[in-house]
Amino acid sequence: LFSSSDMTSFGVSLLSSDYIQSGQSVFIYNRTNFDRDLSLDTSWNFYNQTDNQGGTMMRNMPMVRVAYQAQQNLSLDADLGIDITTAKSSSSTLTQSTTTTRIFPSVGFRWNF
């Protein structure tokens, strides 16, 4: 925690299904208010799974967002996130591995009317 007005939350999930042998998810979120008008949100989501066919998938998704309250009913937002996914599949003769990286930025405003 960086200031007395920070908010931090954590989450953990365990999952399974007919297809997913085991899966785990961890989520961490923090909001820091620098002053009344400027805030920074950071988050990280991690997901890992093993399926019944021997395949695996691991996903890392960090994200950061800056928000500025320009006027009482107008705020400006900018965020940047990265999604890094690694998947492996196996058969009796072949193992394949792929890694995908996706970067997703956005800039915008919110008008409360």
Side-chain angles (χ1 to χ4, degrees), residues 13-33:
S13 298
L14 302 174
L15 33 118
S16 65
S17 70
D18 292 339
Y19 178 73
I20 298 173
Q21 182 178 0
S22 69
Q24 306 83 32
S25 177
V26 176
F27 179 78
I28 301 170
Y29 168 82
N30 179 264
R31 179 179 188 98
T32 300
N33 293 313

Side-chain angles (χ1 to χ4, degrees), residues 62-105:
M63 189 169 175
V64 62
R65 165 180 248 161
V66 176
Y68 176 70
Q69 191 73 38
Q71 297 178 359
Q72 183 177 356
N73 60 348
L74 179 68
S75 64
L76 308 172
D77 298 334
D79 58 27
L80 175 65
I82 302 172
D83 178 353
I84 304 167
T85 302
T86 302
K88 293 181 183 178
S89 60
S90 296
S91 67
S92 59
T93 59
L94 182 64
T95 299
Q96 288 186 306
S97 178
T98 59
T99 299
T100 304
T101 301
R102 182 175 65 104
I103 299 172
F104 47 98

Side-chain angles (χ1 to χ4, degrees), residues 20-59:
I20 298 173
Q21 182 178 0
S22 69
Q24 306 83 32
S25 177
V26 176
F27 179 78
I28 301 170
Y29 168 82
N30 179 264
R31 179 179 188 98
T32 300
N33 293 313
F34 293 104
D35 60 30
R36 196 173 58 121
D37 298 328
L38 183 64
S39 64
L40 175 70
D41 297 346
T42 55
S43 65
W44 176 63
N45 191 356
F46 174 79
Y47 177 77
N48 187 47
Q49 81 173 35
T50 302
D51 64 36
N52 291 335
Q53 311 300 313
T56 61
M57 182 179 70
M58 183 174 61
R59 191 172 198 183

